[in-house]
Amino acid sequence: MTGRVGRAAAVCAALGVLWWATVRLAWAGVGCDDWGCLVPAVGVVVLISLGLLAWSARALERAGVRPGRRVALAAAGVLVAFRLAGESLPSWTSSFVHVVAAALAFGGAGAVGAFVTEKGVARRWRVAAVLAVVALVPVALAVAVVRSGA
């Protein structure tokens, strides 16, 4: 099981770096700074994300993480929770920090996705993992509220 989770984390971390780079290029390609470009720019980011999700299932299969489609979907759900929880973190101006954060978030999501889809894992551990991921969002919201002084 550890090898499967590690492979999933490595594949997803690499895909996270690829996602970061393509989104950055796409955002620069749209090249505008006003609200009128927000819808097309976000649309391109959504298309890139969906395409990468579809491709990640195949990449996971090739890395021996089967079923790749289930792991990719589980990782995508975890990544959404990570993204929502990440909103409470401070922002950084460094591109290096952004790429490392993308790799860590995608890699962590891949590891959790592989763990919760592993057949040998007891149901209670799967449920505990899912509950921990879901709990990230309200905890991050509480941290953000406390930090803002509200």
Side-chain angles (χ1 to χ4, degrees):
M1 176 185 72
T2 331
R4 180 177 184 267
V5 171
R7 286 191 309 274
V11 167
C12 289
L15 292 173
V17 172
L18 178 63
W19 177 85
W20 175 83
T22 55
V23 164
R24 197 160 156 114
L25 286 172
W27 201 264
V30 171
C32 68
D33 293 329
D34 63 359
W35 288 100
C37 295
L38 187 61
V39 172
V42 170
V44 169
V45 170
V46 168
L47 287 175
I48 289 169
S49 300
L50 290 175
L52 199 63
L53 172 65
W55 193 62
S56 69
R58 184 171 173 91
L60 287 164
E61 286 280 340
R62 286 185 171 251
V65 182
R66 293 183 177 83
R69 186 176 298 157
R70 283 185 55 206
V71 174
L73 287 174
V78 172
L79 195 56
V80 168
F82 283 178
R83 177 68 182 128
L84 291 172
E87 286 299 316
S88 69
L89 296 174
S91 60
W92 300 284
T93 56
S94 168
S95 292
F96 178 74
V97 173
H98 288 177
V99 73
V100 169
L104 289 174
F106 275 72
V112 172
F115 179 78
V116 298
T117 59
E118 176 67 40
K119 292 181 183 187
V121 174
R123 182 181 174 100
R124 68 178 177 275
W125 289 112
R126 288 186 211 183
V127 170
V130 169
L131 289 176
V133 168
V134 171
L136 282 175
V137 178
V139 167
L141 179 63
V143 168
V145 167
V146 168
R147 192 174 354 149
S148 71

